[in-house]
Amino acid sequence: MSKSTREIAILTSEIATQKKASSDEILTLLKTKEVETLFATANAQRQKKFGKTIILRGIVEFSSFCSCPCSYCGLNSLNSDLQRFRMTESEILNAIKVAYQAGYRAVVLQSGEDPFYTGDTLSAIIKVIKKQYPDLILTLSVGERSTEEYKQWKKDGANRYLLKHETANPIIYKNLHPHANLKQRIQHLETLKSLGYETGSGFMVGLPGQQIEDLVEDILLIKALNLDMAGIGIFIPHPKTPLKNVPEGNPLEAMKALSIVRLLMENIHLPSTTSIETSQSTHFYEPLSCGANVIMKKVEPYIYRKLYEIYPNPNLKETSVEEDRITLEHYIKSIGLNAF
Ligand code: 5AD
């Protein structure tokens, strides 16, 4: 039987206070129609920790080469229709400079799994960035690498590492990533945490075969690993992948998952993911009012932004990094919050 507004209000505030929830309680919230109540409690929780501040993060997508055949991703190694690019060290440094000058103080270096950038190559780039911009928080998101490389990059000054678990269901994980497995992914996340990285994971909603119960496991995994960041998005079909005919995920479901994570973890950084913003289905809720506290924006040159096509994004426009930042700041102000 579905719960009343009052029952959901009590349940959400209990979870927010105790910072724990059973599988059944999470399932109740994922299924509830009382989204306003759930989102309001999550929003209050975000505000308690972060006030009016929304963190803007620039993302430099520096290589679209990828050695992995992940069946959902437009960059997958089997997609021979994609025009691939690699940015040189000086292009990367320039993108960082542009982002810094536009006001960003947190930047992510992201790429496909591209062994062209060896541990030493990235090490050199990280060192230069941290020397030039000591106050820049630097996140790496370059896939599964060796423990030695993770160690070296941490020593060089990298602050954070993003490695999404994508789905906590091991069977679905294997179907999507025939070359890998979930257990190994979790081990990498544990290694990154133990090395002192602020560590981020995340998952997609709407994957083929995924049930609502699987989302409960996704949420509980983020809590169990005590992650510092989580990107929760929807699956969007890419026409050049085996999953091209699978319908896109439900953004409302993703926002419910996001808000439940916020109730369970008050300090976690939760981006309003591009996939939710890109969604073609109509939805009336703003992730920043459901517990999200971060927005990520592409900051590499437009030509590369367009080529880094994980999934189609009809909203991508040829704007400058400065313009994008100003537009974002205005938008954040318009909903009563401040950009940092
Ligand atoms: N739809 C939504 N998100 C996707 N990602 C990759 N492909 C897709 C897709 N088709 C996300 C994954 C990955 C990140 C780089 O982008 O979560 O970790």
Side-chain angles (χ1 to χ4, degrees):
M1 208 182 69
S2 73
K3 293 211 187 296
S4 67
T5 311
R6 199 179 130 69
E7 285 169 315
I8 294 297
I10 293 170
L11 179 58
T12 51
S13 65
E14 268 174 15
I15 295 173
T17 314
Q18 294 169 7
K19 305 283 175 303
K20 59 179 204 287
S22 67
S23 300
D24 279 349
E25 287 169 334
I26 295 174
L27 201 55
T28 299
L29 293 181
L30 284 170
K31 288 181 174 168
T32 186
K33 294 200 166 60
E34 300 292 331
V35 286
E36 309 270 353
T37 313
L38 168 61
F39 291 165
T41 319
N43 190 44
Q45 189 80 343
R46 175 198 55 78
Q47 203 160 348
K48 203 167 113 197
K49 170 72 192 175
F50 299 99
K52 285 184 181 295
T53 303
I54 298 299
I55 300 164
L56 302 189
R57 226 186 259 157
I59 170 160
V60 180
E61 295 156 327
F62 66 90
S63 165
S64 64
F65 282 82
C66 191
S67 53
C68 301
C70 311
S71 60
Y72 48 87
C73 182
L75 305 187
N76 85 70
S77 55
L78 305 171
N79 180 3
S80 53
D81 284 338
L82 186 72
Q83 189 190 333
R84 311 261 173 181
F85 71 91
R86 287 188 176 112
M87 286 168 69
T88 63
E89 176 171 339
S90 72
E91 284 180 305
I92 296 173
L93 293 174
N94 199 54
I96 300 270
K97 181 170 151 198
V98 168
Y100 192 90
Q101 285 175 346
Y104 291 94
R105 291 297 175 270
V107 170
V108 185
L109 283 184
Q110 187 178 85
S111 68
E113 293 209 4
D114 185 3
F116 175 87
Y117 299 84
T118 63
D120 288 343
T121 314
L122 287 177
S123 179
I125 295 172
I126 296 163
K127 278 190 210 149
V128 178
I129 294 172
K130 291 301 285 194
K131 187 156 186 264
Q132 289 184 355
Y133 311 100
D135 63 333
L136 186 75
I137 295 174
L138 188 61
T139 302
L140 302 177
S141 175
V142 297
E144 290 183 16
R145 302 285 294 237
S146 72
T147 304
E148 284 318 305
E149 288 171 317
Y150 295 148
K151 263 190 204 157
Q152 179 63 44
W153 300 334
K154 185 78 188 51
K155 211 168 102 206
D156 299 330
N159 307 90
R160 300 175 171 167
Y161 207 101
L162 290 180
L163 189 69
K164 295 195 185 181
H165 72 269
E166 315 291 4
T167 172
N169 177 319
I171 296 164
I172 299 177
Y173 191 97
K174 193 73 200 167
N175 288 338
L176 299 173
H177 315 96
H179 61 294
N181 66 73
L182 178 64
K183 199 167 152 219
Q184 180 179 315
R185 194 65 156 192
I186 294 172
Q187 275 164 0
H188 277 259
L189 286 165
E190 284 167 343
T191 302
L192 289 161
K193 265 224 98 126
S194 73
L195 293 174
Y197 281 99
E198 285 183 51
T199 306
S201 185
F203 58 94
M204 284 176 278
V205 170
L207 293 168
Q210 194 181 44
Q211 306 292 315
I212 200 153
E213 288 75 11
D214 293 316
L215 301 180
V216 174
E217 297 307 316
D218 284 312
I219 293 169
L220 288 173
L221 181 63
I222 288 169
K223 175 74 179 165
L225 293 173
N226 191 22
L227 294 168
D228 305 285
M229 301 171 281
I232 300 169
I234 54 164
F235 162 75
I236 296 178
H238 187 294
K240 295 287 158 56
T241 62
L243 303 187
K244 62 180 179 221
N245 295 322
V246 175
E248 83 171 30
N250 178 343
L252 188 62
E253 220 165 76
M255 280 189 268
K256 283 173 160 183
L258 186 155
S259 66
I260 298 165
V261 172
R262 172 60 69 211
L263 298 181
L264 287 166
M265 303 172 76
E266 63 183 349
N267 295 332
I268 194 166
H269 289 297
L270 296 173
S272 161
T273 50
T274 317
S275 67
I276 295 181
E277 293 161 11
T278 306
S279 170
Q280 298 301 297
S281 73
T282 328
H283 58 89
F284 305 98
Y285 299 100
E286 161 53 67
L288 297 176
S289 310
C290 307
N293 71 309
V294 177
I295 291 191
M296 289 165 80
K297 202 81 197 164
K298 290 175 181 243
V299 294
E300 67 272 13
Y302 176 73
I303 164 150
Y304 298 141
R305 275 183 244 167
K306 213 169 136 54
L307 291 175
Y308 199 85
E309 197 191 60
I310 290 175
Y311 45 78
N313 179 355
N315 300 335
L316 197 65
K317 298 206 176 61
E318 189 165 359
T319 43
S320 73
V321 173
E322 296 78 10
E323 277 174 286
D324 277 355
R325 169 98 193 183
I326 291 166
T327 309
L328 261 180
E329 286 179 3
H330 282 308
Y331 171 66
I332 289 168
K333 267 228 151 65
S334 78
I335 56 170
L337 300 166
N338 298 321
F340 172 74

